[in-house]
């Protein structure tokens, strides 16, 4: 599953929620009628019982009814979510799409997270640094979460000055990190 957003706090009383967008194509991913998978166990519901005696379970899929931008934030209404308490129970839920349904990026320097996870990370000289375990979408730049051979993790800024090459066919990322970066 390719994560495209994370549900935030409710907006108003009728089930609309803020969404922390994690995609370069929000207008496509959150178009009315789009079906998004939810990340099971992403977080426990904030309000496990929105109705009297009725425990709330985050559905495995949510269908976008409407989406709009408001003061720089995406606001989304999902079908069947019509009350603020239920919207609150969705807070923290990760939203995704099946990576098989995603077309490859047109830009050769753009990659989907699922394409990078699992790739070996090596220096230009071929020394193995580890494996890409995840991508962290930080505010300043994306970070490769590197699983080091000894088991610990390190972060590598995903910028051209450090990530020299991404060879999807060869199953590797060539990185030239400055001295000490992997020891932080």
């Amino acid at each position: 599953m390719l994560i495209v957003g994370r549900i935030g706090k409710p907006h108003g009383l009728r089930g609309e929620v803020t969404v922390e967008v994690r995609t370069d194509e929000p207008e496509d991913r959150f178009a009315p009628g789009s079906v998004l998978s939810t990340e099971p166990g992403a977080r426990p519901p904030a309000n496990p019982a929105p109705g009297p005696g009725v425990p709330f379970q985050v559905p495995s899929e949510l269908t976008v009814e409407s989406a709009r931008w408001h003061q720089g934030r995406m606001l989304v209404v999902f079908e069947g979510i019509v009350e603020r308490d239920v919207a609150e129970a969705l807070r923290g839920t990760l939203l995704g799409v099946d990576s098989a349904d995603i077309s490859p990026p047109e830009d050769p320097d753009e990659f989907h997270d699922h394409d990078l996870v699992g790739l070996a990370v090596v220096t230009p000289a071929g020394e193995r640094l580890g494996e890409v375990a995840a991508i962290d979408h930080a505010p300043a730049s994306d970070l490769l979460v590197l699983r080091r051979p000894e088991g610990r993790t390190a972060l590598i800024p995903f910028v051209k000055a450090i990530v020299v090459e991404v060879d999807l066919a060869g199953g590797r990322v060539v990185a030239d990190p400055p001295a000490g970066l992997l020891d932080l």
Side-chain angles (χ1 to χ4, degrees):
M1 177 167 77
L2 178 65
I3 303 298
V4 297
R6 183 179 155 275
I7 296 177
K9 65 182 181 178
H11 181 82
L13 301 173
R14 304 202 189 274
E16 193 171 41
V17 295
T18 61
V19 171
E20 175 190 320
V21 175
R22 296 186 183 176
T23 177
D24 291 338
E25 301 164 336
E27 286 75 17
D28 294 337
R29 302 289 169 242
F30 295 97
S34 296
V35 178
L36 301 171
S37 300
T38 61
E39 179 75 21
R43 72 178 283 289
N47 180 359
V54 179
F56 179 78
Q57 297 217 352
V58 175
S60 62
E61 294 181 336
L62 292 168
T63 301
V64 175
E65 186 173 298
S66 66
R68 64 187 175 100
W69 290 98
H70 175 70
Q71 297 180 347
R73 290 186 294 182
M74 166 98 33
L75 299 178
V76 179
V77 174
F78 293 105
E79 289 180 7
I81 308 298
V82 296
E83 297 173 2
R84 183 179 179 90
D85 289 345
V86 175
E88 177 64 39
L90 292 173
R91 188 188 287 219
T93 300
L94 295 174
L95 302 168
V97 295
D98 185 349
S99 56
D101 296 339
I102 304 294
S103 58
E106 293 177 17
D107 182 350
D109 292 330
E110 185 178 326
F111 305 94
H112 294 301
D113 292 5
H114 68 275
D115 291 331
L116 299 171
V117 173
L119 295 182
V121 180
V122 298
T123 66
E127 175 191 350
R128 185 171 172 84
L129 298 174
E131 179 180 293
V132 178
I135 310 300
D136 184 0
H137 299 282
S141 73
D142 291 339
L143 300 166
L144 297 178
V145 179
L146 179 67
R147 185 179 309 112
R148 301 280 286 151
E150 64 274 8
R152 61 183 186 84
T153 60
L155 299 175
I156 298 178
F158 195 19
V159 295
K160 277 222 179 260
I162 297 173
V163 177
V164 180
E165 177 187 2
V166 175
D167 179 6
L168 294 177
R172 68 187 188 131
V173 172
V174 179
D176 192 11
L181 179 69
L182 302 180
D183 299 325
L184 296 175

